[in-house]
Amino acid sequence: RAAGAVRHQMARHVRRLIFWTTGVLLSLALLAALAIALLVWGVDPDVHRARIERAASQALGRQVELTGALRWRPGLDFQIESQGGRIANAGGFGARPLAIWQSLRFGVALRPLLQRQLVIDRIEIQGLRLALVRGSRGVNWSLPASTPASPDTQLALTVGSISLRDGAVDFSDATDGRAWSASQLELDVKLPLLLQAPVLVFSDLSIRSRLKGPPLQEAGVAVRLQLPRLEVDRQQRRLQAPEWRMTWDEASLGGAVVATAGDGPVATGRLRVQAPSLRRLLRSVSVDAPATRDSTALGPLVLDTDFRFEQGGLELTRLNVNLDSTRVDGVVNFAALAPLSVRFDLAADAVDVDRYLTPQDQPGKPLALPLAQLQALDAKGVLVVRRATMAGAAARGMRIDVD
């Protein structure tokens, strides 16, 4: 009976110990949660403004200033927003900032931080302005190399996607006085899971902008580029886009490309161009096509070809061109682009020469052949015209040899 009483008393003490231990642990967890909540909800993030500016300035080697308010929102995905900021320019490049932004937002997952993983779901940037300059002192966008973090403090970085709206980039080259700009810039891209991986895969890449600067037309050119998938092999120094699409003014372009960097860069792929008017396409790059007797000439253009760029030369195979009512196919090989050296073997089905003559109401001009340029041009090839018409006369099986 005494032994049973002792066991009963010990069991009661054990239950009481478990109860109090559980209660203490729950209380500590509750206090920790309350402390985090008070830190997040009760502390103004602007209190940490100076510390954030110093850390960012040290990392970039440029003065960083947060000009707008700081905001954050608690949760398993911690949301952070900077409502305005700027990055100072490099010394000797003027007082204009290298970069300014209106809004910068991103979310950080808290749980992966326990495994030393920094997971950012999406970075959203509004109103980014970049001022890039090349001058006698070099370029202003070259940032100092960062000191690699030790294995004990290094975090594995993962960024899900980047979105940019209402961006602009200005580039000026003080060495030759040229300047270009990209306004109305929009960017969307899904990033690789690991930015340190040897093979990086970007998906759903979309860039939209209006480009200005020589030799583009004064009003600029609206451009949009889309790549469903872009692979970058850093070890092999190879870039591959199985499919890409682009709009340039009124024209549509597309195809695929594989490019390898090295001592001699190599690029292969296919290209397709479709434009409602070759004349307007040339005008977008400030090239005025000559006036023709038929005002609709130099109109619809479709070009389809495989290409290979290697050792400074460009080869176009399986070339098929449809211009107006004429179809041309064959091979063109630019053995060198500077100075130009070209070899070709082309065939055209039908050419109406009258359409491309000078308009009758324009005064005639004496024909002046640029003999010096023609003699310096390295061009060899054959052009076969199956049928040509001019002034009511027709010729078949014309062969033009260029040597």
Side-chain angles (χ1 to χ4, degrees):
R1 184 180 299 175
V6 171
R7 287 195 298 268
H8 178 73
Q9 188 73 11
M10 291 180 62
R12 186 173 61 180
H13 285 300
V14 169
R15 287 195 299 270
R16 186 176 297 175
L17 178 62
I18 294 174
F19 173 78
W20 282 108
T21 302
T22 303
V24 169
L25 293 176
L26 289 175
S27 299
L28 289 176
L30 179 60
L31 288 174
L34 289 175
I36 294 175
L38 288 174
L39 175 65
V40 172
W41 277 293
V43 177
D44 186 352
D46 278 329
V47 172
H48 303 284
R49 176 187 298 271
R51 182 180 301 175
I52 296 173
E53 290 177 339
R54 286 196 301 269
S57 299
Q58 292 175 359
L60 296 178
R62 306 283 179 83
Q63 183 65 38
V64 177
E65 181 183 0
L66 302 178
T67 58
L70 290 175
R71 296 288 182 266
W72 57 36
R73 188 179 63 191
L76 293 180
D77 290 331
F78 194 74
Q79 302 293 320
I80 303 173
E81 179 179 3
S82 165
Q83 297 179 347
R86 67 180 64 183
I87 301 174
N89 217 330
F93 287 92
R96 183 182 182 185
L98 170 65
I100 61 174
W101 65 88
Q102 295 176 359
S103 175
L104 172 62
R105 295 185 296 271
F106 59 91
V108 178
L110 297 183
R111 187 174 300 173
L113 289 175
L114 301 176
Q115 287 79 39
R116 295 188 180 279
Q117 296 179 358
L118 179 58
V119 178
I120 299 176
D121 56 355
R122 180 179 176 86
I123 298 177
E124 298 180 354
I125 309 172
Q126 181 77 24
L128 176 66
R129 302 289 186 270
L130 293 177
L132 308 180
V133 179
R134 175 187 286 124
S136 58
R137 303 172 62 94
V139 296
N140 70 334
W141 64 85
S142 179
L143 299 177
S146 59
T147 303
S150 65
D152 295 334
T153 60
Q154 189 173 13
L155 295 176
L157 175 63
T158 300
V159 180
S161 63
I162 295 178
S163 174
L164 169 65
R165 294 293 180 270
D166 189 26
V169 178
D170 293 329
F171 173 79
S172 61
D173 192 334
T175 60
D176 57 14
R178 291 182 296 177
W180 298 272
S181 67
S183 60
Q184 305 170 25
L185 181 60
E186 296 184 2
L187 166 68
D188 289 285
V189 60
K190 294 181 180 178
L191 300 181
L193 291 178
L194 293 177
L195 297 177
Q196 300 83 5
V199 179
L200 304 178
V201 178
F202 302 83
S203 58
D204 298 335
L205 172 61
S206 175
I207 303 175
R208 185 199 303 264
S209 183
R210 174 169 287 274
L211 305 180
K212 290 186 178 181
L216 305 180
Q217 60 187 358
E218 185 176 356
V221 177
V223 179
R224 184 178 183 183
L225 174 64
Q226 294 176 291
L227 290 90
R229 182 182 178 89
L230 176 64
E231 300 178 12
V232 180
D233 190 328
R234 299 196 295 183
Q235 294 180 342
Q236 301 294 330
R237 302 179 67 185
R238 183 178 63 191
L239 179 149
Q240 181 174 358
E243 177 189 3
W244 62 273
R245 300 183 297 274
M246 181 178 183
T247 58
W248 177 276
D249 200 35
E250 298 177 327
S252 300
L253 299 85
V257 63
V258 177
T260 304
D263 296 336
V266 178
T268 61
R270 67 178 185 274
L271 171 66
R272 179 177 176 83
V273 180
Q274 186 169 2
S277 171
L278 174 59
R279 188 182 299 276
R280 290 197 296 269
L281 179 60
L282 294 174
R283 192 178 300 152
S284 71
V285 291
S286 302
V287 175
D288 291 325
T292 55
R293 186 166 299 179
D294 183 351
S295 61
T296 64
L298 302 178
L301 168 70
V302 177
L303 181 149
D304 196 351
T305 185
D306 293 334
F307 68 87
R308 181 178 183 85
F309 176 83
E310 185 176 10
Q311 297 180 349
L314 176 64
E315 183 179 12
L316 304 179
T317 60
R318 199 186 55 81
L319 175 64
N320 186 292
V321 180
N322 286 270
L323 175 61
D324 297 330
S325 59
T326 301
R327 174 174 175 172
V328 180
D329 51 38
V331 177
V332 177
N333 183 10
F334 298 93
L337 299 178
L340 185 63
S341 175
V342 59
R343 305 290 183 268
F344 59 90
D345 186 358
L346 299 172
D349 58 353
V351 179
D352 185 354
V353 179
D354 291 330
R355 299 184 62 186
Y356 303 96
L357 297 178
T358 303
Q360 294 179 340
D361 57 352
Q362 290 190 2
K365 295 181 180 180
L367 179 61
L369 293 177
L371 296 179
Q373 291 84 346
L374 291 175
Q375 290 174 353
L377 178 63
D378 181 14
K380 295 181 180 180
V382 177
L383 171 62
V384 175
V385 181
R386 299 186 181 93
R387 175 181 172 84
T389 59
M390 180 177 179
R396 299 180 183 274
M398 292 180 57
R399 177 186 174 97
I400 303 174
D401 292 284
V402 177
D403 190 354

